Amino acid sequence: MAEIVIRNLRKEFGSFTAVKGSSFTIGDGEFFMLLGPSGCGKTTTLRMIAGLELPTSGEILIDGEDVSQRPASQRDIAMVFQMFALYPHMNVRKNISYPLVSQGVPKAQVAAKVAEVARILGIENILDKPVGGLSGGDRQRVALGRAIVRNPKAFMMDEPLGALDAEFREHMAEELRALHDRMGATTVYVTHDQLEAMQMGDKIVVMNHGVVEQFGTPQEIYDHPATMFVADFIGSPAMNFLRFEGGFRPGETAVTLGGVRIATPELHEEAAGRQLVLGVRPEHVALSDAGAYRGRVEAAEYLGTTQIVTLSTAHGSVKARIPSGHVARVGETVGLDFDARTLSVFDAGTGRAFRTAANAGVNHG
Amino acid sequence: MTAYSITEPSGRSKLVAGLLVTLYTIVTLLPLVWIISTGFKSGPDSISYPPKVLFEPSLEGYVNLFTTRTRVAAEEFQNLPPPETWYDEIVRDQGMVIAGPSRFGERFLNSVIIGFGSTFLSIFLGTLAAYAFSRFKVPLKDDLLFFILSTRMMPPIAVAIPIYLMYRELGLSDTHLGMILLYTAVNISLAVWLLKGFIDEIPREYEEAALIDGYTRFQAFRKVVLPQAATGIASTAIFCLIFAWNEYAFAVLLTSGTAQTAPPFIPTIIGVGGQDWPAVAAGATIFLLPVMIFTILLRKHLLRGITFGAVRK
């Protein structure tokens, strides 16, 4: 297993730049998520690590060795593709043993290794079947088997759950995570599904337009988004953005929206007379009659234990996730309380989060 | 009340379809039946009018196809020892003796060498080129592909004279190599285009998986792409072989001796007092067999190949 270091990685396809100077480190044994909308450069990044694309510039270090210009076959990594890419003209056993055959492993050893992998994945009963008739889950397991049979330095997974039915995804996600925990293998996983990334990842890189927006643990990224893009992309419903004009000085612990002071974490930067955005997660909004900041209830969606209440305020629409016991009548004007420790303040121009006491340790891009 | 089904045709439409198919089959098979039966007729039967549908079968045509015969003087004919073999006997019945084997065997072998040789070469080069066009960033790719296709936009025979002159200069006239190269040149555009389509349909991920599994690009091509392109290769090979096998015009123009193929040879089979139609028909029948066998062997692939990519899988 290995640590993977990415330094200033860049990839251009003609005049289009798919990845613009990414840098991050994937720790040994980490389950690492590359997250972003389609076209953000996450798959290109993965393919560069795998050796299926060569970077235009920058370095990829696997176990301290620069492999950025080496072909895939010399990198000792395994990959699981979205469509699994099982060799259709071979049966399950042949598919799984194929990576070993390329290395000239003796036959007896191949058989033993395949049997072991089949046992780990619970696919011993389908070893001699052609891959054509397998169910999605079994194909997935065979693809995983082909990846783990070789004990590679790292696993690359390109949306491996993307081709599965919704109900089966959850199950497979758990299986994948359990497999990872057992093997402790460095895994790089590409997904556009923020829930999947949060659920499975040790670390997440959020990319957009070829740029790394933020790099950190799921909790850091959720609680302290480095940019408005991340704040909006992660979480459902997304973070509320209250747009206002104003400023603050380092050390202040509140911002003023329409004459109402709203407490925030201690601000470490200075801003004056600028377009600003106050970011607040729906679950950090509470409705109270006393609250000085007012909003009008527009709609309420019942979700079982909680409900999502949509309110219109002087600074934009706000969604609040509150216990479903609370009665919110449409048309009513209520007060909004925000959980001060969790608020983010963004620069509306650049989308960047201002440094505060809360996000001081967060890795920005 | 009539029950309608959108998947099951009604009895009447099945009947109409069956009749049409039968009619079509009769129309297309009739020339074939004519040729095959003529091959088994005697000389007079083959030219009798109205044509004989029922006749006494004879192997005269086949014997004449493979032999050259000569007439001998009447008294000499009387004194000949009795015929040793059944084909001697057939020739004697025509009042002649066998002088030696004909050239049909050679010509047939030439057809096999040139037909299969050029098919192999077309497929070999075509697969490599198609793979490159399908997978790599080739500069001016679209223009090159169009250029390759454009070689088929005129009948190949339109360039017969330049090719004739060129081949004479290069010493390729009437050689196996010359004919193989010529048929390959004609077939390669078809092969590249057809095979590119087939290879385009094979997801790149298969090769990428092989590359990551530790194989080189060429190994991935050979062990992962080729087996999956087998269907396409088979159907392309059939098209290439049929062209090379049946080609007549260039064969007449460029071959006469050593490399002459069967198509220009068969019509020149002359018997006593004119065209030996049973022998010509016998030659045509034998000539049909290799392509027929080849096609039947690859039929399963052919059908899949023709409908390949028609339905999203």
Side-chain angles (χ1 to χ4, degrees):
Chain A
M1 290 307 134
E3 182 188 69
I4 301 172
V5 180
I6 306 297
R7 275 195 212 131
N8 303 318
L9 197 61
R10 190 178 171 84
K11 179 68 184 178
E12 292 163 14
F13 294 105
S15 60
F16 173 71
T17 307
V19 177
K20 299 170 187 163
S22 300
S23 295
F24 50 84
T25 299
I26 303 165
D28 185 11
E30 247 171 24
F31 203 113
F32 190 90
M33 297 298 201
L34 281 169
L35 174 66
S38 48
C40 73
K42 58 188 190 300
T43 297
T44 306
T45 303
L46 185 87
R47 290 170 60 85
M48 284 194 281
I49 301 174
L52 295 174
E53 305 278 358
L54 294 182
T56 310
S57 64
E59 289 178 335
I60 300 164
L61 281 76
I62 300 180
D63 248 354
E65 231 181 311
D66 185 2
V67 297
S68 52
Q69 298 299 323
R70 278 202 214 155
S73 55
Q74 290 173 25
R75 295 194 187 190
D76 192 17
I77 44 111
M79 185 150 167
V80 176
F81 292 85
Q82 180 170 12
M83 42 80 71
F84 309 142
L86 302 178
Y87 307 124
H89 54 296
M90 302 181 191
N91 67 13
V92 171
R93 187 189 302 278
K94 284 217 174 117
N95 262 282
I96 295 178
S97 54
Y98 205 59
L100 295 177
V101 174
S102 80
Q103 297 181 318
V105 176
K107 268 190 177 167
Q109 223 169 309
V110 171
K113 193 77 198 168
V114 171
E116 183 196 330
V117 166
R119 193 176 42 75
I120 293 173
L121 295 167
I123 51 172
E124 289 144 304
N125 55 331
I126 57 165
L127 275 180
D128 293 310
K129 287 195 181 162
V131 295
L134 298 182
S135 68
D138 282 342
R139 279 170 199 237
Q140 172 78 78
R141 291 191 187 94
V142 176
L144 280 172
R146 197 173 64 185
I148 67 178
V149 74
R150 203 158 48 98
N151 290 329
K153 285 186 178 157
F155 295 124
M156 307 289 128
M157 301 194 181
D158 187 4
E159 307 221 10
L161 305 182
L164 300 180
D165 295 343
E167 51 183 315
F168 200 70
R169 287 174 88 147
E170 190 111 341
H171 175 70
M172 236 22 242
E174 281 169 26
E175 222 172 281
L176 260 181
R177 181 67 223 203
L179 186 70
H180 172 263
D181 291 347
R182 174 152 49 164
M183 310 210 7
T186 310
T187 303
V188 188
Y189 187 110
V190 162
T191 181
H192 64 265
D193 182 337
Q194 45 110 1
L195 277 175
E196 211 171 274
M198 304 285 273
Q199 178 189 8
M200 297 167 74
D202 293 321
K203 286 266 181 67
I204 298 176
V205 152
V206 184
M207 293 187 74
N208 189 32
H209 297 309
V211 175
V212 171
E213 295 267 338
Q214 192 170 1
F215 162 47
T217 64
Q219 189 159 11
E220 274 170 12
I221 285 174
Y222 186 79
D223 290 346
H224 308 295
T227 64
M228 286 174 72
F229 171 81
V230 176
D232 189 48
F233 192 71
I234 307 273
S236 174
M239 186 178 255
N240 295 300
F241 292 138
L242 297 167
R243 290 166 191 278
F244 66 103
E245 203 181 319
F248 48 78
R249 304 179 60 80
E252 282 187 358
T253 56
V255 291
T256 309
L257 269 76
V260 180
R261 268 177 66 84
I262 294 175
T264 63
E266 186 187 318
L267 293 153
H268 289 177
E269 286 181 75
E270 183 173 338
R274 264 202 263 181
Q275 291 294 325
L276 300 172
V277 176
L278 180 69
V280 52
R281 293 270 174 212
E283 59 273 29
H284 298 147
V285 182
L287 305 187
S288 72
D289 295 333
Y293 192 76
R294 310 296 289 182
R296 183 172 175 277
V297 177
E298 297 290 343
E301 285 171 69
Y302 176 72
L303 296 175
T305 52
T306 61
Q307 59 178 330
I308 307 290
V309 177
T310 309
L311 303 111
S312 61
T313 71
H315 302 95
S317 168
V318 171
K319 285 185 190 280
R321 183 192 292 272
I322 59 169
S324 44
H326 188 111
V327 180
R329 285 188 197 83
V330 173
E332 198 178 33
T333 301
V334 295
L336 284 75
D337 283 336
F338 303 121
D339 183 344
R341 290 163 304 156
T342 61
L343 298 187
S344 301
V345 184
F346 300 98
D347 182 327
T350 62
R352 191 181 65 83
F354 287 103
R355 298 276 181 187
T356 66
N359 70 8
V362 170
N363 198 330
H364 290 242
Chain B
M1 188 180 148
T2 322
Y4 284 101
S5 163
I6 54 162
T7 51
E8 189 66 23
S10 71
R12 211 178 68 181
S13 53
K14 270 190 197 166
L15 186 75
V16 171
L19 280 174
L20 284 175
V21 170
T22 312
L23 192 70
Y24 179 75
T25 311
I26 290 169
V27 169
T28 50
L29 283 183
L30 204 62
L32 208 61
V33 171
W34 189 279
I35 285 286
I36 292 170
S37 65
T38 303
F40 290 102
K41 282 179 182 174
S42 64
D45 278 356
S46 71
I47 50 169
S48 71
Y49 188 85
K52 283 195 173 174
V53 178
L54 294 173
F55 55 91
E56 194 184 329
S58 148
L59 283 172
E60 192 186 307
Y62 286 85
V63 172
N64 289 359
L65 176 67
F66 283 100
T67 58
T68 53
R69 298 152 310 279
T70 177
R71 255 184 216 294
V72 288
E75 63 266 35
E76 209 180 314
F77 194 79
Q78 303 290 317
N79 301 332
L80 282 174
E84 286 169 23
T85 56
W86 60 270
Y87 46 86
D88 268 335
E89 206 175 308
I90 292 175
V91 175
R92 292 281 178 90
D93 289 347
Q94 299 171 62
M96 291 190 284
V97 293
I98 293 175
S102 77
R103 305 209 113 161
F104 181 72
E106 267 169 59
R107 302 308 188 227
F108 188 80
L109 190 65
N110 283 345
S111 268
V112 171
I113 293 169
I114 291 166
F116 283 87
S118 74
T119 300
F120 174 79
L121 200 59
S122 304
I123 295 296
F124 179 77
L125 296 174
T127 309
L128 291 178
Y131 181 74
F133 277 123
S134 174
R135 295 299 198 253
F136 301 133
K137 278 191 204 118
V138 179
L140 300 175
K141 182 191 276 190
D142 291 341
D143 301 289
L144 283 174
L145 277 170
F146 182 79
F147 170 72
I148 289 171
L149 185 66
S150 71
T151 59
R152 290 298 284 256
M153 288 180 182
M154 58 180 178
I157 201 66
V159 289
I161 306 281
I163 285 175
Y164 175 76
L165 296 172
M166 192 170 82
Y167 266 40
R168 208 178 51 184
E169 286 301 311
L170 293 172
L172 286 170
S173 278
D174 202 17
T175 62
H176 293 98
L177 180 67
M179 294 313 283
I180 289 175
L181 289 179
L182 181 65
Y183 291 163
T184 304
V186 176
N187 270 334
I188 194 110
S189 63
L190 177 81
V192 169
W193 273 82
L194 279 180
L195 288 167
K196 179 177 176 294
F198 287 113
I199 293 173
D200 281 346
E201 297 266 333
I202 301 170
R204 284 159 185 258
E205 279 86 348
Y206 293 128
E207 290 143 81
E208 293 181 342
L211 289 179
I212 285 178
D213 284 348
Y215 293 90
T216 62
R217 170 69 78 166
F218 184 71
Q219 284 172 323
F221 169 73
R222 200 161 57 85
K223 294 185 174 171
V224 176
V225 177
L226 278 191
Q228 292 185 69
T231 291
I233 290 174
S235 41
T236 309
I238 289 175
F239 290 124
C240 290
L241 180 70
I242 288 175
F243 168 80
W245 189 256
N246 291 342
E247 205 285 326
Y248 178 76
F250 277 114
V252 166
L253 189 73
L254 295 175
T255 66
S256 51
T258 42
Q260 193 183 43
T261 53
F265 174 78
I266 291 170
T268 64
I269 301 168
I270 309 281
V272 182
Q275 211 82 16
D276 187 350
W277 291 116
V280 169
T285 307
I286 292 175
F287 183 69
L288 272 175
L289 291 177
V291 179
M292 238 167 81
I293 293 167
F294 188 69
T295 309
I296 288 169
L297 286 179
L298 298 181
R299 186 176 48 178
K300 198 177 71 189
H301 290 303
L302 184 64
L303 194 62
R304 256 198 66 201
I306 288 169
T307 57
F308 197 73
V311 182
R312 226 183 104 97
K313 292 179 295 298

